[in-house]
């Protein structure tokens, strides 16, 4: 009887080992398939981004005044964070002209509002789709080639001239 019990224990241990090995192989195969699916999804997303048509946005924003140094700093900081170029004419009235990726333009005013700005109004906006050729970018479509710049209080003529020169 002891011999039979020992033999049965060996068979059971062998079956358990085989089951554990099969399970481990199954887990590894499942992980491998999951990694392959992730890699494929990433490749497809990268391809979609590469084939996406770039859209540039432009906005002209009016504010009754832009006087406080902290607000002036926020205007520039938000523009830089969103990769927007353009100009801010400080003083009374305050005028902001931004240009860059459309998604950034959409986020700009809400971003300023989150920092306590209440009196701003988009007076004009424009969206322009670029060529759908691979590698086309918003950067190639920019009319304002400068980084975002803050202009002085008496610079309405300068702002007008800069916009004219850019073709806006």
């Amino acid at each position: 009887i002891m011999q039979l019990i020992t033999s049965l224990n060996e068979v059971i241990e062998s079956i358990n080992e085989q089951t554990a090995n099969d399970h481990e192989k199954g887990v590894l195969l499942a992980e491998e398939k999951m990694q392959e699916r992730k890699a494929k999804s990433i490749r497809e997303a990268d391809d979609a981004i590469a084939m996406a048509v770039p859209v540039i946005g432009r906005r002209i924003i009016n504010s009754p005044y832009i006087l406080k140094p902290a607000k002036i700093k926020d205007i520039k900081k938000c523009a830089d964070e969103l990769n927007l170029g353009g100009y801010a004419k400080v003083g009374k009235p305050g005028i902001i002209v931004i240009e860059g990726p459309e998604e950034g333009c959409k986020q700009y005013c809400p971003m300023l509002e989150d920092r306590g700005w209440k009196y701003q109004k988009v007076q004009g906006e424009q969206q322009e789709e670029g060529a759908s050729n691979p590698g086309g970018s918003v950067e190639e479509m920019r009319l304002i080639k400068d980084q975002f710049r803050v202009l002085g209080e008496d610079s309405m003529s300068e702002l007008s001239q800069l916009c004219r020169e850019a073709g806006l």
Side-chain angles (χ1 to χ4, degrees):
I1 292 184
M2 284 305 273
Q3 215 174 17
L4 182 61
I5 292 174
T6 305
S7 177
L8 283 173
N9 276 342
E10 289 174 2
V11 169
I12 291 171
E13 282 180 27
S14 174
I15 291 172
N16 283 344
E17 270 184 43
Q18 186 62 40
T19 302
N21 288 340
D22 289 347
H23 177 72
E24 192 173 312
K25 286 179 187 175
V27 167
L28 290 175
L29 284 174
E31 286 178 0
E32 221 173 85
K33 285 182 181 179
M34 188 185 311
Q35 291 297 332
E36 286 174 12
R37 275 187 251 141
K38 280 183 184 178
K40 182 180 178 185
S41 294
I42 290 170
R43 281 193 306 275
E44 288 172 353
D46 286 346
D47 290 346
I49 290 169
M51 296 305 288
V53 176
V55 179
I56 192 166
R58 297 181 183 98
R59 304 284 192 282
I60 185 163
I61 303 161
N62 184 32
S63 178
Y65 53 87
I66 302 173
L67 299 172
K68 294 182 180 177
K71 299 243 181 196
I72 295 167
K73 187 176 176 182
D74 283 344
I75 291 169
K76 174 136 177 58
K77 185 176 181 183
C78 290
D80 290 344
E81 286 177 20
L82 296 170
N83 193 27
L84 301 173
Y87 310 104
K89 185 252 171 226
V90 299
K92 294 181 181 182
I95 298 175
I96 303 169
V97 177
I98 56 171
E99 176 187 62
E102 174 60 17
E103 287 305 311
C105 288
K106 286 180 185 176
Q107 294 172 28
Y108 187 74
C109 285
M111 198 173 193
L112 289 177
E113 287 170 7
D114 289 345
R115 294 170 186 227
W117 276 58
K118 293 183 181 131
Y119 305 107
Q120 59 185 346
K121 182 166 171 65
V122 175
Q123 295 292 332
E125 64 181 86
Q126 179 184 38
Q127 295 83 28
E128 182 181 329
E129 287 188 1
S132 60
N133 61 335
S137 73
V138 168
E139 296 306 314
E140 296 168 352
M141 301 167 60
R142 286 184 188 262
L143 297 176
I144 300 172
K145 303 298 183 191
D146 300 330
Q147 292 290 329
F148 193 87
R149 284 182 33 204
V150 176
L151 306 174
E153 287 189 41
D154 298 322
S155 58
M156 187 67 82
S157 296
E158 182 183 0
L159 176 62
S160 297
Q161 182 64 31
L162 290 166
C163 288
R164 270 194 299 280
E165 288 172 0
L168 298 174

